[in-house]
Amino acid sequence: MKQAYTNVCEAWKEKRIIEKEDGERRARWLDEICREIARETGSDADKVYKRMIQCALSKGVFKRLKSILKRERSALDYIEVPNETWYLDKNGDELYEFDNGIFVAHSSFEENLYEKYGSIKVPPKDVVVVEVEISDDVIHVQNPESIQQWTWTKVTKPEEMEDWLMRRNKRHLQQMYVEQSPPTTAEFEPFLAEHGTSSITDEILNGTLDLEDFDLSKEMKLFLKSLQQTPKEREMHIPGRMPREAFQEVMKIQNESTSSSPSALHYTLWKAIAEVDELAEIHSLWVSLPFMYGFICNRHKREIDCMLEKKPGERQIRIMRIIGLMEACWNAYLKWAYNKHVMPNAEKSGLSSNQWGGRRGRGAIACAMRKLMTWEYY
């Protein structure tokens, strides 16, 4: 214990010295990087050094401009939730139901009659409050001529805001169970056994499972049959082990100011770890263990759900954005696996050219822009 205390004191003294000599040490470090780049590229070290200085100056100017133009960030001090439950969109002929933080849109099939089944959708601003009567099969709007505008309550207590956040996320993520989709039924349980890694799953992918032995609808049998892998798809795989170089690459390009971790481990730590080959090797193996052997670190099971403004100054829960913050090291593996293996394999398997979102050159915004240009110019 005495020796450990002595080592801590020595480390603390060394830290103080480093803080005092921060400028000189950083200058030496940049000079080493400069000369290393010059050796690798065959360039003049002085020219490389000037380019590095110019880049640093430009980055500093950009940061100052960004701090001026971008409004100050702060924690949410309130959100707004609607007081009513049912809203009618007369233009779109849709009925909206407010349910635990989200809105569910119900389609019309006859005058003033709407389907009980609904899908999650953000209502327009010009909806009106209505009263409804719900029967076994339909929802009946009793006062479609209503002109009553919706009203909102401001929630300011942190515990109430957190409660709304959790209720909204739970309702949003349980949409499939609310709709009683086939994967949530008892008939589908055998196919999801062992988290989708059972022998039945292998038989589905190989096309050897006799679906007539299961009590499923014709549509579900056709769906499961369509999951049979082609010979080309069987050759594709996602490696469980993340290479050290991949871990270092992901951390190197990550913005250091990004919010990162439920355990308060900042990206600065991970970027520093990635610079040391031995430490990067250990952590790349650590985040790969769940995909190699099936067990996971408890720290990686936690995330922080955050509620953000999608539009500055608008705090209505209908247009708030929900994101989840995972551990930075765990997220590094997911980024690498998705970008380097999952999506390339998906592209090779023959994705439709009309499938947009999450694809290189086919983002959701690009799809919306393409649709807009098609309608406006053709």
Side-chain angles (χ1 to χ4, degrees), residues 75-181:
L76 283 175
D77 52 1
Y78 74 91
I79 60 172
E80 294 179 332
V81 296
N83 297 320
E84 301 83 17
T85 303
W86 296 97
Y87 306 87
L88 180 63
D89 176 18
K90 296 181 179 181
N91 296 324
D93 201 15
E94 287 183 314
L95 180 67
Y96 287 87
E97 175 188 5
F98 181 68
D99 182 13
N100 286 304
I102 67 170
F103 286 90
V104 180
H106 302 268
S107 300
S108 171
F109 65 92
E110 286 186 21
E111 186 176 2
N112 301 331
L113 296 179
Y114 295 82
E115 301 278 0
K116 293 189 69 175
Y117 169 83
S119 58
I120 297 176
K121 187 177 179 180
V122 177
K125 293 183 178 181
D126 58 352
V127 294
V128 294
V129 180
V130 293
E131 296 180 359
V132 303
E133 181 180 352
I134 304 175
S135 64
D136 294 336
D137 301 320
V138 300
I139 304 174
H140 177 223
V141 176
Q142 296 181 315
N143 56 334
E145 71 286 350
S146 171
I147 58 173
Q148 179 184 347
Q149 301 297 310
W150 54 3
T151 58
W152 298 78
T153 295
K154 185 179 290 187
V155 179
T156 57
K157 294 182 179 180
E159 58 271 17
E160 293 183 8
M161 294 170 60
E162 182 179 355
D163 178 64
W164 273 109
L165 168 63
M166 297 180 67
R167 287 165 58 186
R168 182 199 180 283
N169 278 3
K170 183 178 180 180
R171 175 61 180 83
H172 181 77
L173 297 175
Q174 289 183 341
Q175 177 70 7
M176 188 169 63
Y177 291 90
V178 173
E179 297 174 353
Q180 295 183 349
S181 298

Side-chain angles (χ1 to χ4, degrees), residues 162-371:
E162 182 179 355
D163 178 64
W164 273 109
L165 168 63
M166 297 180 67
R167 287 165 58 186
R168 182 199 180 283
N169 278 3
K170 183 178 180 180
R171 175 61 180 83
H172 181 77
L173 297 175
Q174 289 183 341
Q175 177 70 7
M176 188 169 63
Y177 291 90
V178 173
E179 297 174 353
Q180 295 183 349
S181 298
T184 66
T185 60
E187 294 79 7
F188 215 86
E189 286 183 2
F191 308 109
L192 300 179
E194 301 177 31
H195 303 287
T197 61
S198 65
S199 58
I200 291 182
T201 304
D202 294 333
E203 291 180 32
I204 291 175
L205 297 177
N206 294 329
T208 58
L209 182 65
D210 187 2
L211 295 174
E212 298 302 324
D213 296 337
F214 298 89
D215 184 19
L216 297 170
S217 65
K218 179 182 177 180
E219 292 77 13
M220 286 310 304
K221 289 179 181 180
L222 290 174
F223 168 72
L224 292 173
K225 188 176 181 179
S226 70
L227 297 180
Q228 179 181 346
Q229 290 181 321
T230 64
K232 186 176 181 179
E233 288 173 338
R234 293 193 186 100
E235 296 176 358
M236 301 177 184
H237 72 286
I238 299 175
R241 177 68 163 91
M242 183 183 193
R244 168 181 59 81
E245 295 80 5
F247 180 84
Q248 291 175 312
E249 180 183 356
V250 172
M251 290 302 178
K252 182 179 180 180
I253 63 177
Q254 182 63 52
N255 190 333
E256 194 169 349
S257 63
T258 302
S259 300
S260 60
S261 171
S263 58
L265 299 178
H266 196 265
Y267 260 113
T268 302
L269 170 66
W270 298 109
K271 292 176 75 71
I273 287 174
E275 292 185 2
V276 182
D277 289 349
E278 292 79 5
L279 295 177
E281 185 73 40
I282 294 172
H283 281 82
S284 62
L285 174 61
W286 181 250
V287 297
S288 303
L289 292 178
F291 303 92
M292 298 169 63
Y293 303 108
F295 59 86
I296 187 171
C297 171
N298 288 332
R299 182 165 59 85
H300 294 161
K301 296 179 182 179
R302 298 177 61 244
E303 75 164 27
I304 298 177
D305 287 333
C306 301
M307 180 180 285
L308 308 175
E309 290 181 353
K310 184 176 288 187
K311 297 181 179 180
E314 297 193 24
R315 304 285 182 87
Q316 294 178 355
I317 197 170
R318 69 188 182 97
I319 49 177
M320 298 294 286
R321 180 186 177 196
I322 306 296
I323 64 169
L325 300 181
M326 297 181 289
E327 289 291 330
C329 54
W330 175 245
N331 201 28
Y333 182 97
L334 300 180
K335 289 180 180 179
W336 167 75
Y338 183 83
N339 294 324
K340 299 295 184 181
H341 298 285
V342 174
M343 284 310 300
N345 286 349
E347 296 289 350
K348 293 176 185 176
S349 66
L351 286 179
S352 169
S353 60
N354 292 322
Q355 186 168 344
W356 296 75
R359 300 176 65 184
R360 186 181 296 276
R362 293 184 178 275
I365 296 178
C367 180
M369 178 60 70
R370 182 178 180 178
K371 181 178 179 181

